[in-house]
Amino acid sequence: MVLSLLVITISLLALGRGYPADKDSDTRLGIDRPSTQEPPQVSECGLDQLLGEVFGSSSGGTGCGNSPPPDVNNGGNYNPDVHNGGNNPDPNYTQQPVPNQQEPYNPNPQPNPSDCTCVQYYLCNDNNTINEDGVGLIDIRLKDDECDNYLEKCCGGQNIRPPDNPVTPKPHTRPAGGTCGNRNFEGIGFRITGDNDNEAQYGEFPWMVAVVRPDRTLSNSGKTVSVYQCGGSLIHPQVVLSGAHCVRGKDNLVVRAGEWDTQTKNELYPTQDVKVREVIIHEQFNNGSLANDPALLILERPVDMSVENVGLICLPGANENMDGRNCVASGWGKDLFGKEGKYQVILKRVDVPTVPRLPCLEALRKTRLGQRFKLHESFICAGGQPGKDTCKGDGGSPLVCPSRNNPNVYVQAGIVAWGIDCGTETPGVYVNVPYFIDWINNKLQAQGIYLDSY
């Protein structure tokens, strides 16, 4: 009888202690709402456990064992890492450690934001692991940890490398004897993910340059800013091939080599700015029709070719036929035509096939150009696939194709010139680079520059 009374008393005390809050309460904010449910009944297993604690018994009831109580906020599964979780009404409650239970080993612990510094990704030992092929993965859509820039890592002070000792990826193997036309498909130093808008890999097109012009009038702070003019391609360490229509009449031009993301300087290699010494425009350039549109930009000094993000594009043979090739264009131009379009921050690429002359002419005559339009022989066509095209701001940028002799080497087939709208079924029109090979060689040799020497 005494034992029965004691059991009843203990049960009543257990029911009066309280119970976890409603499972729908927001534990993330530490907010508890009163439960409308009936208090849970003490189970047979729970009663046996209470008796064991009172009478010093080391064994629970049948089938109970010595398991810790279930975590009601984890679907009934016990979670040793949850301590009070905002749901236990007793503020002095402390979760007892589980016997022989250790914290799981974490080989890549995340740094405490208060104990880390945002540095370039290649200066951090802890968070930047270079794979065997020298390429890390960086999501261009997400910023890392507490850092504002996706090319920065939140790095502990003890893991920051000095700027003169960065993590250097393995160099990419260049084709034997090849000094131009080497495309870095996997990027340099890292490979981006989240490239949903055809962003180029960092260093994928090492011959791609931006032609800019310093200007103070567009800066609110009075500082000189670089105004983007057009794209171009390195055909020699001291020569850029571009479009006459976008550099004609412009002075104080500067070529920026090694550019990729125009809004950050955290890439593995810095960009190189070199002033243009002379602009050579084709003598028969027509500013209205853009016929004979090539231009050569002679630089004051050669760019540094020792870094991987800068390279040369090969030129094709004179009058080489480019029909039937799957080519690629690159640039920072707009994604749409008109006011709705936005200039690109990260260098973009677009795969476009070359289009033979007759089908291109027929497509152009279906536009506002009319049935009498004649396509000048200094042009070639590429594209004609909806949503895949170059656009405003891409002028002067290169259209490159795999060489017929070596598909691993790229040659420049065209220069972005003009088109009817952007991204329609009408092909885009490009300068026919093979048509001007002799003109290019003659102009450069007059400057004492020979392409065959590189």
Side-chain angles (χ1 to χ4, degrees), residues 315-323 325 380 402-405 411 432 434-435 437:
L315 293 182
N319 297 307
E320 182 176 342
N321 190 327
M322 291 292 172
D323 290 349
R325 301 198 200 184
I380 62 172
S403 169
R404 291 197 187 278
N405 299 326
V411 299
N432 185 353
Y435 181 80
I437 293 299

Side-chain angles (χ1 to χ4, degrees), residues 79-146:
N79 184 356
D81 295 327
V82 177
H83 302 290
N84 199 23
N87 279 342
N88 194 301
D90 185 353
N92 297 319
Y93 173 78
T94 302
Q95 176 75 44
Q96 295 298 323
V98 180
N100 300 324
Q101 183 76 22
Q102 297 180 354
E103 289 289 333
Y105 172 69
N106 184 1
N108 297 306
Q110 293 297 320
N112 188 331
S114 61
D115 298 332
C116 66
T117 302
C118 292
V119 298
Q120 290 92 335
Y121 72 97
Y122 50 85
L123 294 182
C124 186
N125 265 343
D126 189 25
N127 287 339
N128 186 61
T129 301
I130 300 297
N131 298 332
E132 291 183 358
D133 58 359
V135 178
L137 294 177
I138 293 179
D139 193 332
I140 61 175
R141 301 294 176 189
L142 303 174
K143 68 176 185 177
D144 183 78
D145 299 327
E146 299 299 315

Side-chain angles (χ1 to χ4, degrees), residues 1-84:
M1 177 66 71
V2 174
L3 178 60
S4 300
L5 291 175
L6 180 60
V7 170
I8 294 173
T9 302
I10 294 174
S11 301
L12 292 174
L13 289 174
L15 292 175
R17 177 174 174 82
Y19 49 89
D22 185 358
K23 66 180 180 180
D24 292 330
S25 62
D26 193 342
T27 59
R28 293 167 299 177
L29 302 179
I31 299 174
D32 293 333
R33 297 193 302 271
S35 174
T36 58
Q37 298 178 354
E38 292 295 327
Q41 301 298 319
V42 177
S43 65
E44 179 180 355
C45 178
L47 179 59
D48 287 347
Q49 185 174 356
L50 287 173
L51 289 173
E53 291 176 358
V54 172
F55 293 103
S57 172
S58 59
S59 61
T62 304
C64 296
N66 293 318
S67 301
D71 183 359
V72 296
N73 294 312
N74 193 25
N77 297 322
Y78 175 69
N79 184 356
D81 295 327
V82 177
H83 302 290
N84 199 23

Side-chain angles (χ1 to χ4, degrees), residues 252-266:
N252 298 324
L253 294 176
V254 174
V255 164
R256 177 167 295 172
E259 183 63 280
W260 179 65
D261 186 335
T262 61
Q263 294 189 354
T264 183
K265 296 181 179 180
N266 291 324

Side-chain angles (χ1 to χ4, degrees), residues 285-303:
F285 168 64
N286 187 313
N287 193 40
S289 66
L290 301 189
N292 302 307
D293 194 31
L296 295 171
L297 280 57
I298 311 300
L299 308 183
E300 287 188 350
R301 60 174 175 81
V303 298

